[in-house]
Amino acid sequence: MRKAEISRNTTETEIAVAVALDGTGSYDCQTGVGFFDHMLEQLARHSMIDLTVRAKGDLHIDDHHTVEDVGIALGQALARALGDKRGIRRYGECRLAMDDAQLVCALDLSGRPFLVWNVAFPTAKIGTFDTELVREFFQAISTHGGITLHMDRVHGFNSHHIAEAAFKALARALRMAVEGDPRQADVIPSTKGAL
């Protein structure tokens, strides 16, 4: 199995992330931020990537550092688990509907991080969670995972549904991209010969 573990310790957070790309979608996420744990669980379940997250952050300030640093560590873990990316499909996409919300995710495991984020939230909070932190997480996972990542909201009026649809769309696109391509099992999917 393609696996990786990453630890990230700063004055703001202590993060440990473990992934298994060829898993069953099992998860054990404990960040101290309830809504974020729920989103990470969706990411694991729908990507079929086993995910364990332990995070201790400066939540007395706010959730920002915890959410961002988990994104950084998760991106690094994905990149490490993928290795040289030999035999993967590389590209993934998903158009995902969740009640009122519809989001579209397209990604390329190119090694060239770039985030296009066309997702607006109608509210500043989901419970106590700042909706702007959804973008921070996606920026971190894109940058540190070397992922070209485009996320577009087609429509939606419920902030919880919009956020959850974004995480699920990312999950399904990742599932497609990390899967093996039986037509080029031993080939790096690039004319450059490297990703």
Side-chain angles (χ1 to χ4, degrees):
M1 289 178 65
R2 299 169 294 166
K3 299 180 180 180
E5 295 183 10
I6 294 287
S7 294
R8 175 182 171 83
N9 297 312
T10 71
T11 58
E12 299 167 340
T13 61
E14 295 177 13
I15 311 289
V17 171
V19 298
L21 301 185
D22 304 304
T24 61
S26 67
Y27 51 82
D28 183 2
C29 303
Q30 298 178 29
T31 67
V33 182
F35 179 76
F36 186 45
D37 288 346
H38 179 49
M39 294 300 100
L40 293 172
E41 291 165 0
Q42 301 305 316
L43 181 58
R45 176 65 184 91
H46 294 282
S47 67
M48 299 294 287
I49 295 171
D50 292 346
L51 176 62
T52 302
V53 178
R54 292 290 181 273
K56 293 180 182 177
D58 52 4
L59 300 180
H60 62 285
I61 296 174
D62 67 8
D63 300 340
H64 186 113
H65 297 138
T66 299
V67 172
E68 182 178 29
D69 287 6
V70 168
I72 290 169
L74 180 53
Q76 292 171 344
L78 289 171
R80 183 176 291 177
L82 283 165
D84 68 2
K85 303 175 187 171
R86 187 175 304 274
I88 66 167
R89 294 188 184 274
R90 177 179 167 180
Y91 299 98
E93 63 180 342
C94 179
R95 176 179 293 269
L96 192 130
M98 181 175 175
D99 300 335
D100 56 285
Q102 184 182 155
L103 277 87
V104 178
C105 178
L107 61 80
D108 177 9
L109 301 177
S110 62
R112 297 185 306 277
F114 197 92
L115 177 67
V116 175
W117 184 258
N118 293 313
V119 181
F121 289 94
T123 62
K125 297 269 190 186
I126 301 169
T128 61
F129 186 84
D130 294 329
T131 52
E132 68 182 8
L133 295 182
V134 178
R135 186 192 186 284
E136 291 299 321
F137 173 81
F138 278 76
Q139 182 67 68
I141 199 170
S142 168
T143 300
H144 294 272
I147 303 168
T148 300
L149 175 56
H150 293 233
M151 186 69 71
D152 296 283
R153 187 189 86 174
V154 178
H155 48 250
F157 56 79
N158 180 290
S159 292
H160 186 130
H161 295 162
I162 293 166
E164 189 164 340
F167 274 83
K168 288 178 175 177
L170 171 63
R172 294 297 294 194
L174 270 175
R175 180 177 175 180
M176 181 185 297
V178 303
E179 283 182 344
D181 185 342
R183 295 181 65 193
Q184 54 178 10
D186 295 317
V187 177
I188 294 172
S190 171
T191 56
K192 297 180 180 72
L195 284 171

